[in-house]
Every structure is written in C-alpha cells, then in structure tokens.
PDB file of all heavy atoms in Angstrom:
ATOM      1  N   VAL F  25     -22.867 -27.273 -11.205  1.00  0.00           N
ATOM      2  CA  VAL F  25     -23.376 -25.902 -11.261  1.00  0.00           C
ATOM      3  C   VAL F  25     -23.483 -25.415  -9.819  1.00  0.00           C
ATOM      4  O   VAL F  25     -24.089 -26.084  -8.980  1.00  0.00           O
ATOM      5  CB  VAL F  25     -24.749 -25.843 -11.960  1.00  0.00           C
ATOM      6  CG1 VAL F  25     -25.320 -24.418 -11.867  1.00  0.00           C
ATOM      7  CG2 VAL F  25     -24.617 -26.253 -13.438  1.00  0.00           C
ATOM      8  N   PHE F  26     -22.917 -24.241  -9.536  1.00  0.00           N
ATOM      9  CA  PHE F  26     -22.846 -23.785  -8.153  1.00  0.00           C
ATOM     10  C   PHE F  26     -22.735 -22.257  -8.100  1.00  0.00           C
ATOM     11  O   PHE F  26     -22.343 -21.629  -9.112  1.00  0.00           O
ATOM     12  CB  PHE F  26     -21.643 -24.409  -7.439  1.00  0.00           C
ATOM     13  CG  PHE F  26     -20.330 -24.130  -8.138  1.00  0.00           C
ATOM     14  CD1 PHE F  26     -19.529 -23.069  -7.759  1.00  0.00           C
ATOM     15  CD2 PHE F  26     -19.889 -24.948  -9.183  1.00  0.00           C
ATOM     16  CE1 PHE F  26     -18.333 -22.812  -8.404  1.00  0.00           C
ATOM     17  CE2 PHE F  26     -18.692 -24.696  -9.839  1.00  0.00           C
ATOM     18  CZ  PHE F  26     -17.913 -23.632  -9.443  1.00  0.00           C
ATOM     19  N   PRO F  27     -23.033 -21.641  -6.955  1.00  0.00           N
ATOM     20  CA  PRO F  27     -22.865 -20.183  -6.827  1.00  0.00           C
ATOM     21  C   PRO F  27     -21.396 -19.799  -6.849  1.00  0.00           C
ATOM     22  O   PRO F  27     -20.564 -20.509  -6.268  1.00  0.00           O
ATOM     23  CB  PRO F  27     -23.495 -19.874  -5.458  1.00  0.00           C
ATOM     24  CG  PRO F  27     -24.278 -21.088  -5.066  1.00  0.00           C
ATOM     25  CD  PRO F  27     -23.618 -22.244  -5.735  1.00  0.00           C
ATOM     26  N   VAL F  28     -21.052 -18.694  -7.486  1.00  0.00           N
ATOM     27  CA  VAL F  28     -19.652 -18.278  -7.582  1.00  0.00           C
ATOM     28  C   VAL F  28     -19.081 -17.907  -6.213  1.00  0.00           C
ATOM     29  O   VAL F  28     -17.861 -17.898  -6.027  1.00  0.00           O
ATOM     30  CB  VAL F  28     -19.467 -17.108  -8.569  1.00  0.00           C
ATOM     31  CG1 VAL F  28     -19.821 -17.512  -9.983  1.00  0.00           C
ATOM     32  CG2 VAL F  28     -20.255 -15.881  -8.137  1.00  0.00           C
ATOM     33  N   ASP F  29     -19.958 -17.604  -5.245  1.00  0.00           N
ATOM     34  CA  ASP F  29     -19.492 -17.276  -3.888  1.00  0.00           C
ATOM     35  C   ASP F  29     -18.754 -18.437  -3.238  1.00  0.00           C
ATOM     36  O   ASP F  29     -17.996 -18.236  -2.294  1.00  0.00           O
ATOM     37  CB  ASP F  29     -20.673 -16.859  -3.000  1.00  0.00           C
ATOM     38  CG  ASP F  29     -21.282 -15.531  -3.432  1.00  0.00           C
ATOM     39  OD1 ASP F  29     -20.572 -14.770  -4.131  1.00  0.00           O
ATOM     40  OD2 ASP F  29     -22.451 -15.244  -3.091  1.00  0.00           O
ATOM     41  N   GLU F  30     -19.004 -19.669  -3.735  1.00  0.00           N
ATOM     42  CA  GLU F  30     -18.290 -20.838  -3.226  1.00  0.00           C
ATOM     43  C   GLU F  30     -16.838 -20.868  -3.706  1.00  0.00           C
ATOM     44  O   GLU F  30     -16.010 -21.596  -3.162  1.00  0.00           O
ATOM     45  CB  GLU F  30     -18.984 -22.129  -3.653  1.00  0.00           C
ATOM     46  CG  GLU F  30     -20.340 -22.357  -3.005  1.00  0.00           C
ATOM     47  CD  GLU F  30     -20.954 -23.691  -3.417  1.00  0.00           C
ATOM     48  OE1 GLU F  30     -20.228 -24.525  -4.017  1.00  0.00           O
ATOM     49  OE2 GLU F  30     -22.144 -23.890  -3.167  1.00  0.00           O
ATOM     50  N   GLY F  31     -16.518 -20.092  -4.742  1.00  0.00           N
ATOM     51  CA  GLY F  31     -15.180 -20.077  -5.321  1.00  0.00           C
ATOM     52  C   GLY F  31     -15.067 -21.014  -6.511  1.00  0.00           C
ATOM     53  O   GLY F  31     -15.521 -22.162  -6.451  1.00  0.00           O
ATOM     54  N   ILE F  32     -14.490 -20.532  -7.595  1.00  0.00           N
ATOM     55  CA  ILE F  32     -14.322 -21.329  -8.821  1.00  0.00           C
ATOM     56  C   ILE F  32     -12.915 -21.908  -8.831  1.00  0.00           C
ATOM     57  O   ILE F  32     -11.928 -21.175  -8.964  1.00  0.00           O
ATOM     58  CB  ILE F  32     -14.548 -20.452 -10.084  1.00  0.00           C
ATOM     59  CG1 ILE F  32     -15.902 -19.732 -10.016  1.00  0.00           C
ATOM     60  CG2 ILE F  32     -14.456 -21.289 -11.337  1.00  0.00           C
ATOM     61  CD1 ILE F  32     -16.033 -18.620 -11.054  1.00  0.00           C
ATOM     62  N   ASP F  33     -12.794 -23.211  -8.700  1.00  0.00           N
ATOM     63  CA  ASP F  33     -11.501 -23.892  -8.715  1.00  0.00           C
ATOM     64  C   ASP F  33     -11.075 -24.071 -10.168  1.00  0.00           C
ATOM     65  O   ASP F  33     -11.498 -25.010 -10.850  1.00  0.00           O
ATOM     66  CB  ASP F  33     -11.621 -25.240  -8.006  1.00  0.00           C
ATOM     67  CG  ASP F  33     -10.269 -25.902  -7.777  1.00  0.00           C
ATOM     68  OD1 ASP F  33      -9.266 -25.460  -8.370  1.00  0.00           O
ATOM     69  OD2 ASP F  33     -10.200 -26.875  -7.000  1.00  0.00           O
ATOM     70  N   PHE F  34     -10.209 -23.153 -10.624  1.00  0.00           N
ATOM     71  CA  PHE F  34      -9.887 -23.104 -12.046  1.00  0.00           C
ATOM     72  C   PHE F  34      -8.517 -22.450 -12.223  1.00  0.00           C
ATOM     73  O   PHE F  34      -8.167 -21.509 -11.507  1.00  0.00           O
ATOM     74  CB  PHE F  34     -10.973 -22.282 -12.764  1.00  0.00           C
ATOM     75  CG  PHE F  34     -10.933 -22.322 -14.262  1.00  0.00           C
ATOM     76  CD1 PHE F  34     -10.801 -23.514 -14.961  1.00  0.00           C
ATOM     77  CD2 PHE F  34     -11.099 -21.166 -15.018  1.00  0.00           C
ATOM     78  CE1 PHE F  34     -10.788 -23.551 -16.352  1.00  0.00           C
ATOM     79  CE2 PHE F  34     -11.096 -21.172 -16.403  1.00  0.00           C
ATOM     80  CZ  PHE F  34     -10.942 -22.383 -17.071  1.00  0.00           C
ATOM     81  N   LEU F  35      -7.701 -22.974 -13.129  1.00  0.00           N
ATOM     82  CA  LEU F  35      -6.411 -22.388 -13.491  1.00  0.00           C
ATOM     83  C   LEU F  35      -5.384 -22.418 -12.359  1.00  0.00           C
ATOM     84  O   LEU F  35      -4.440 -21.631 -12.338  1.00  0.00           O
ATOM     85  CB  LEU F  35      -6.599 -20.927 -13.951  1.00  0.00           C
ATOM     86  CG  LEU F  35      -7.628 -20.685 -15.072  1.00  0.00           C
ATOM     87  CD1 LEU F  35      -7.894 -19.200 -15.235  1.00  0.00           C
ATOM     88  CD2 LEU F  35      -7.124 -21.300 -16.370  1.00  0.00           C
ATOM     89  N   GLY F  36      -5.576 -23.321 -11.387  1.00  0.00           N
ATOM     90  CA  GLY F  36      -4.638 -23.395 -10.262  1.00  0.00           C
ATOM     91  C   GLY F  36      -5.004 -22.475  -9.110  1.00  0.00           C
ATOM     92  O   GLY F  36      -4.278 -22.397  -8.116  1.00  0.00           O
ATOM     93  N   TYR F  37      -6.130 -21.780  -9.226  1.00  0.00           N
ATOM     94  CA  TYR F  37      -6.587 -20.844  -8.199  1.00  0.00           C
ATOM     95  C   TYR F  37      -8.033 -21.148  -7.834  1.00  0.00           C
ATOM     96  O   TYR F  37      -8.733 -21.889  -8.533  1.00  0.00           O
ATOM     97  CB  TYR F  37      -6.496 -19.397  -8.715  1.00  0.00           C
ATOM     98  CG  TYR F  37      -5.100 -18.948  -9.058  1.00  0.00           C
ATOM     99  CD1 TYR F  37      -4.590 -19.135 -10.353  1.00  0.00           C
ATOM    100  CD2 TYR F  37      -4.298 -18.334  -8.125  1.00  0.00           C
ATOM    101  CE1 TYR F  37      -3.309 -18.730 -10.680  1.00  0.00           C
ATOM    102  CE2 TYR F  37      -3.014 -17.907  -8.443  1.00  0.00           C
ATOM    103  CZ  TYR F  37      -2.525 -18.119  -9.720  1.00  0.00           C
ATOM    104  OH  TYR F  37      -1.249 -17.711 -10.039  1.00  0.00           O
ATOM    105  N   VAL F  38      -8.472 -20.567  -6.705  1.00  0.00           N
ATOM    106  CA  VAL F  38      -9.886 -20.567  -6.372  1.00  0.00           C
ATOM    107  C   VAL F  38     -10.334 -19.107  -6.487  1.00  0.00           C
ATOM    108  O   VAL F  38      -9.905 -18.250  -5.717  1.00  0.00           O
ATOM    109  CB  VAL F  38     -10.160 -21.099  -4.946  1.00  0.00           C
ATOM    110  CG1 VAL F  38     -11.662 -21.108  -4.679  1.00  0.00           C
ATOM    111  CG2 VAL F  38      -9.591 -22.515  -4.797  1.00  0.00           C
ATOM    112  N   ILE F  39     -11.167 -18.837  -7.504  1.00  0.00           N
ATOM    113  CA  ILE F  39     -11.516 -17.473  -7.872  1.00  0.00           C
ATOM    114  C   ILE F  39     -12.869 -17.089  -7.256  1.00  0.00           C
ATOM    115  O   ILE F  39     -13.889 -17.736  -7.519  1.00  0.00           O
ATOM    116  CB  ILE F  39     -11.571 -17.320  -9.406  1.00  0.00           C
ATOM    117  CG1 ILE F  39     -10.251 -17.803 -10.039  1.00  0.00           C
ATOM    118  CG2 ILE F  39     -11.872 -15.880  -9.815  1.00  0.00           C
ATOM    119  CD1 ILE F  39     -10.329 -17.990 -11.547  1.00  0.00           C
ATOM    120  N   TYR F  40     -12.855 -16.041  -6.433  1.00  0.00           N
ATOM    121  CA  TYR F  40     -14.064 -15.486  -5.849  1.00  0.00           C
ATOM    122  C   TYR F  40     -14.367 -14.137  -6.506  1.00  0.00           C
ATOM    123  O   TYR F  40     -13.489 -13.551  -7.156  1.00  0.00           O
ATOM    124  CB  TYR F  40     -13.880 -15.279  -4.333  1.00  0.00           C
ATOM    125  CG  TYR F  40     -13.660 -16.557  -3.557  1.00  0.00           C
ATOM    126  CD1 TYR F  40     -12.370 -17.070  -3.381  1.00  0.00           C
ATOM    127  CD2 TYR F  40     -14.725 -17.244  -2.996  1.00  0.00           C
ATOM    128  CE1 TYR F  40     -12.148 -18.239  -2.666  1.00  0.00           C
ATOM    129  CE2 TYR F  40     -14.518 -18.421  -2.265  1.00  0.00           C
ATOM    130  CZ  TYR F  40     -13.235 -18.910  -2.118  1.00  0.00           C
ATOM    131  OH  TYR F  40     -13.026 -20.067  -1.404  1.00  0.00           O
ATOM    132  N   PRO F  41     -15.585 -13.624  -6.367  1.00  0.00           N
ATOM    133  CA  PRO F  41     -15.923 -12.330  -6.994  1.00  0.00           C
ATOM    134  C   PRO F  41     -15.023 -11.180  -6.559  1.00  0.00           C
ATOM    135  O   PRO F  41     -14.780 -10.250  -7.327  1.00  0.00           O
ATOM    136  CB  PRO F  41     -17.373 -12.088  -6.569  1.00  0.00           C
ATOM    137  CG  PRO F  41     -17.931 -13.454  -6.314  1.00  0.00           C
ATOM    138  CD  PRO F  41     -16.792 -14.249  -5.756  1.00  0.00           C
ATOM    139  N   ASP F  42     -14.517 -11.224  -5.296  1.00  0.00           N
ATOM    140  CA  ASP F  42     -13.755 -10.088  -4.778  1.00  0.00           C
ATOM    141  C   ASP F  42     -12.315 -10.423  -4.388  1.00  0.00           C
ATOM    142  O   ASP F  42     -11.580  -9.562  -3.932  1.00  0.00           O
ATOM    143  CB  ASP F  42     -14.474  -9.457  -3.571  1.00  0.00           C
ATOM    144  CG  ASP F  42     -14.748 -10.485  -2.468  1.00  0.00           C
ATOM    145  OD1 ASP F  42     -14.472 -11.694  -2.678  1.00  0.00           O
ATOM    146  OD2 ASP F  42     -15.236 -10.076  -1.392  1.00  0.00           O
ATOM    147  N   HIS F  43     -11.900 -11.669  -4.545  1.00  0.00           N
ATOM    148  CA  HIS F  43     -10.522 -12.038  -4.259  1.00  0.00           C
ATOM    149  C   HIS F  43     -10.163 -13.375  -4.898  1.00  0.00           C
ATOM    150  O   HIS F  43     -11.039 -14.099  -5.386  1.00  0.00           O
ATOM    151  CB  HIS F  43     -10.238 -12.065  -2.739  1.00  0.00           C
ATOM    152  CG  HIS F  43     -10.949 -13.160  -2.004  1.00  0.00           C
ATOM    153  ND1 HIS F  43     -12.303 -13.133  -1.745  1.00  0.00           N
ATOM    154  CD2 HIS F  43     -10.489 -14.342  -1.499  1.00  0.00           C
ATOM    155  CE1 HIS F  43     -12.650 -14.222  -1.078  1.00  0.00           C
ATOM    156  NE2 HIS F  43     -11.575 -14.981  -0.927  1.00  0.00           N
ATOM    157  N   VAL F  44      -8.866 -13.703  -4.864  1.00  0.00           N
ATOM    158  CA  VAL F  44      -8.354 -14.940  -5.461  1.00  0.00           C
ATOM    159  C   VAL F  44      -7.456 -15.645  -4.459  1.00  0.00           C
ATOM    160  O   VAL F  44      -6.590 -15.021  -3.841  1.00  0.00           O
ATOM    161  CB  VAL F  44      -7.543 -14.649  -6.757  1.00  0.00           C
ATOM    162  CG1 VAL F  44      -7.007 -15.950  -7.345  1.00  0.00           C
ATOM    163  CG2 VAL F  44      -8.410 -13.927  -7.784  1.00  0.00           C
ATOM    164  N   MET F  45      -7.636 -16.957  -4.314  1.00  0.00           N
ATOM    165  CA  MET F  45      -6.785 -17.771  -3.437  1.00  0.00           C
ATOM    166  C   MET F  45      -6.090 -18.846  -4.255  1.00  0.00           C
ATOM    167  O   MET F  45      -6.574 -19.258  -5.307  1.00  0.00           O
ATOM    168  CB  MET F  45      -7.627 -18.436  -2.335  1.00  0.00           C
ATOM    169  CG  MET F  45      -8.427 -17.473  -1.472  1.00  0.00           C
ATOM    170  SD  MET F  45      -7.389 -16.300  -0.546  1.00  0.00           S
ATOM    171  CE  MET F  45      -6.631 -17.398   0.630  1.00  0.00           C
ATOM    172  N   LEU F  46      -4.967 -19.292  -3.760  1.00  0.00           N
ATOM    173  CA  LEU F  46      -4.272 -20.404  -4.405  1.00  0.00           C
ATOM    174  C   LEU F  46      -5.013 -21.704  -4.136  1.00  0.00           C
ATOM    175  O   LEU F  46      -5.574 -21.899  -3.054  1.00  0.00           O
ATOM    176  CB  LEU F  46      -2.842 -20.530  -3.881  1.00  0.00           C
ATOM    177  CG  LEU F  46      -1.753 -19.715  -4.577  1.00  0.00           C
ATOM    178  CD1 LEU F  46      -0.432 -19.891  -3.838  1.00  0.00           C
ATOM    179  CD2 LEU F  46      -1.577 -20.130  -6.020  1.00  0.00           C
ATOM    180  N   ARG F  47      -4.990 -22.606  -5.106  1.00  0.00           N
ATOM    181  CA  ARG F  47      -5.572 -23.931  -4.908  1.00  0.00           C
ATOM    182  C   ARG F  47      -4.851 -24.653  -3.774  1.00  0.00           C
ATOM    183  O   ARG F  47      -3.625 -24.566  -3.650  1.00  0.00           O
ATOM    184  CB  ARG F  47      -5.468 -24.732  -6.201  1.00  0.00           C
ATOM    185  CG  ARG F  47      -6.025 -26.139  -6.115  1.00  0.00           C
ATOM    186  CD  ARG F  47      -5.842 -26.869  -7.419  1.00  0.00           C
ATOM    187  NE  ARG F  47      -6.860 -26.505  -8.392  1.00  0.00           N
ATOM    188  CZ  ARG F  47      -6.813 -26.852  -9.678  1.00  0.00           C
ATOM    189  NH1 ARG F  47      -5.805 -27.553 -10.135  1.00  0.00           N
ATOM    190  NH2 ARG F  47      -7.775 -26.485 -10.510  1.00  0.00           N
ATOM    191  N   LYS F  48      -5.632 -25.359  -2.929  1.00  0.00           N
ATOM    192  CA  LYS F  48      -5.096 -26.030  -1.745  1.00  0.00           C
ATOM    193  C   LYS F  48      -3.956 -26.988  -2.101  1.00  0.00           C
ATOM    194  O   LYS F  48      -2.923 -27.056  -1.413  1.00  0.00           O
ATOM    195  CB  LYS F  48      -6.222 -26.771  -1.022  1.00  0.00           C
ATOM    196  CG  LYS F  48      -5.800 -27.413   0.297  1.00  0.00           C
ATOM    197  CD  LYS F  48      -6.984 -28.086   0.965  1.00  0.00           C
ATOM    198  CE  LYS F  48      -6.574 -28.745   2.282  1.00  0.00           C
ATOM    199  NZ  LYS F  48      -7.730 -29.418   2.929  1.00  0.00           N
ATOM    200  N   ARG F  49      -4.122 -27.732  -3.202  1.00  0.00           N
ATOM    201  CA  ARG F  49      -3.121 -28.719  -3.603  1.00  0.00           C
ATOM    202  C   ARG F  49      -1.768 -28.071  -3.902  1.00  0.00           C
ATOM    203  O   ARG F  49      -0.719 -28.631  -3.589  1.00  0.00           O
ATOM    204  CB  ARG F  49      -3.625 -29.475  -4.835  1.00  0.00           C
ATOM    205  CG  ARG F  49      -2.801 -30.724  -5.178  1.00  0.00           C
ATOM    206  CD  ARG F  49      -3.206 -31.260  -6.542  1.00  0.00           C
ATOM    207  NE  ARG F  49      -4.647 -31.445  -6.622  1.00  0.00           N
ATOM    208  CZ  ARG F  49      -5.326 -31.481  -7.779  1.00  0.00           C
ATOM    209  NH1 ARG F  49      -4.687 -31.336  -8.921  1.00  0.00           N
ATOM    210  NH2 ARG F  49      -6.622 -31.672  -7.785  1.00  0.00           N
ATOM    211  N   ILE F  50      -1.786 -26.877  -4.489  1.00  0.00           N
ATOM    212  CA  ILE F  50      -0.537 -26.177  -4.817  1.00  0.00           C
ATOM    213  C   ILE F  50       0.180 -25.742  -3.536  1.00  0.00           C
ATOM    214  O   ILE F  50       1.398 -25.871  -3.412  1.00  0.00           O
ATOM    215  CB  ILE F  50      -0.825 -24.969  -5.729  1.00  0.00           C
ATOM    216  CG1 ILE F  50      -1.239 -25.466  -7.109  1.00  0.00           C
ATOM    217  CG2 ILE F  50       0.395 -24.054  -5.835  1.00  0.00           C
ATOM    218  CD1 ILE F  50      -1.683 -24.393  -8.066  1.00  0.00           C
ATOM    219  N   LYS F  51      -0.593 -25.261  -2.549  1.00  0.00           N
ATOM    220  CA  LYS F  51      -0.012 -24.857  -1.276  1.00  0.00           C
ATOM    221  C   LYS F  51       0.624 -26.049  -0.570  1.00  0.00           C
ATOM    222  O   LYS F  51       1.733 -25.968  -0.035  1.00  0.00           O
ATOM    223  CB  LYS F  51      -1.081 -24.215  -0.383  1.00  0.00           C
ATOM    224  CG  LYS F  51      -1.600 -22.888  -0.914  1.00  0.00           C
ATOM    225  CD  LYS F  51      -2.584 -22.229   0.028  1.00  0.00           C
ATOM    226  CE  LYS F  51      -3.931 -22.913  -0.033  1.00  0.00           C
ATOM    227  NZ  LYS F  51      -4.985 -22.167   0.704  1.00  0.00           N
ATOM    228  N   GLN F  52      -0.102 -27.176  -0.559  1.00  0.00           N
ATOM    229  CA  GLN F  52       0.402 -28.362   0.107  1.00  0.00           C
ATOM    230  C   GLN F  52       1.658 -28.905  -0.574  1.00  0.00           C
ATOM    231  O   GLN F  52       2.623 -29.278   0.101  1.00  0.00           O
ATOM    232  CB  GLN F  52      -0.695 -29.439   0.118  1.00  0.00           C
ATOM    233  CG  GLN F  52      -1.875 -29.111   1.036  1.00  0.00           C
ATOM    234  CD  GLN F  52      -3.001 -30.121   0.904  1.00  0.00           C
ATOM    235  OE1 GLN F  52      -3.155 -30.753  -0.146  1.00  0.00           O
ATOM    236  NE2 GLN F  52      -3.786 -30.276   1.957  1.00  0.00           N
ATOM    237  N   LYS F  53       1.646 -28.940  -1.899  1.00  0.00           N
ATOM    238  CA  LYS F  53       2.797 -29.438  -2.648  1.00  0.00           C
ATOM    239  C   LYS F  53       4.031 -28.592  -2.381  1.00  0.00           C
ATOM    240  O   LYS F  53       5.127 -29.120  -2.176  1.00  0.00           O
ATOM    241  CB  LYS F  53       2.469 -29.446  -4.141  1.00  0.00           C
ATOM    242  CG  LYS F  53       3.545 -30.082  -5.006  1.00  0.00           C
ATOM    243  CD  LYS F  53       3.117 -30.092  -6.470  1.00  0.00           C
ATOM    244  CE  LYS F  53       4.216 -30.690  -7.350  1.00  0.00           C
ATOM    245  NZ  LYS F  53       3.806 -30.689  -8.802  1.00  0.00           N
ATOM    246  N   PHE F  54       3.860 -27.264  -2.373  1.00  0.00           N
ATOM    247  CA  PHE F  54       4.996 -26.374  -2.113  1.00  0.00           C
ATOM    248  C   PHE F  54       5.515 -26.564  -0.696  1.00  0.00           C
ATOM    249  O   PHE F  54       6.742 -26.626  -0.475  1.00  0.00           O
ATOM    250  CB  PHE F  54       4.585 -24.921  -2.347  1.00  0.00           C
ATOM    251  CG  PHE F  54       5.667 -23.931  -1.986  1.00  0.00           C
ATOM    252  CD1 PHE F  54       6.776 -23.767  -2.784  1.00  0.00           C
ATOM    253  CD2 PHE F  54       5.574 -23.188  -0.826  1.00  0.00           C
ATOM    254  CE1 PHE F  54       7.786 -22.877  -2.451  1.00  0.00           C
ATOM    255  CE2 PHE F  54       6.565 -22.287  -0.479  1.00  0.00           C
ATOM    256  CZ  PHE F  54       7.666 -22.129  -1.288  1.00  0.00           C
ATOM    257  N   ALA F  55       4.611 -26.645   0.286  1.00  0.00           N
ATOM    258  CA  ALA F  55       5.018 -26.821   1.683  1.00  0.00           C
ATOM    259  C   ALA F  55       5.800 -28.111   1.857  1.00  0.00           C
ATOM    260  O   ALA F  55       6.815 -28.145   2.574  1.00  0.00           O
ATOM    261  CB  ALA F  55       3.787 -26.787   2.592  1.00  0.00           C
ATOM    262  N   ARG F  56       5.350 -29.202   1.205  1.00  0.00           N
ATOM    263  CA  ARG F  56       6.059 -30.478   1.287  1.00  0.00           C
ATOM    264  C   ARG F  56       7.453 -30.376   0.678  1.00  0.00           C
ATOM    265  O   ARG F  56       8.429 -30.864   1.249  1.00  0.00           O
ATOM    266  CB  ARG F  56       5.262 -31.574   0.579  1.00  0.00           C
ATOM    267  CG  ARG F  56       4.189 -32.221   1.416  1.00  0.00           C
ATOM    268  CD  ARG F  56       3.709 -33.533   0.822  1.00  0.00           C
ATOM    269  NE  ARG F  56       3.143 -33.376  -0.480  1.00  0.00           N
ATOM    270  CZ  ARG F  56       1.855 -33.129  -0.719  1.00  0.00           C
ATOM    271  NH1 ARG F  56       1.006 -33.045   0.263  1.00  0.00           N
ATOM    272  NH2 ARG F  56       1.409 -33.008  -1.948  1.00  0.00           N
ATOM    273  N   LYS F  57       7.539 -29.733  -0.500  1.00  0.00           N
ATOM    274  CA  LYS F  57       8.835 -29.565  -1.166  1.00  0.00           C
ATOM    275  C   LYS F  57       9.800 -28.756  -0.298  1.00  0.00           C
ATOM    276  O   LYS F  57      10.983 -29.096  -0.178  1.00  0.00           O
ATOM    277  CB  LYS F  57       8.629 -28.866  -2.510  1.00  0.00           C
ATOM    278  CG  LYS F  57       8.088 -29.767  -3.606  1.00  0.00           C
ATOM    279  CD  LYS F  57       9.156 -30.709  -4.149  1.00  0.00           C
ATOM    280  CE  LYS F  57       8.675 -31.499  -5.343  1.00  0.00           C
ATOM    281  NZ  LYS F  57       9.710 -32.456  -5.819  1.00  0.00           N
TER     282      LYS F  57
END
C-alpha cells in the first residue's frame, strides 16, 4: 500500500496522477535488443 505519487507499476507502465512512464524493464530490454 503506497501513495499514488510514487507511481503505480502496472500494465507495463508506471502510472502517475498527471503522466505515464514506461516500465524501466521494457526500456532496458528494448535498448539491449
């Protein structure tokens, strides 16, 4: 249980109240490929 301001790691994204970021693992995997 945590504040949403920390970002919700869900569905392959990190979801914040005002923006969405890609999950770190997805970025790393793509960069390696």
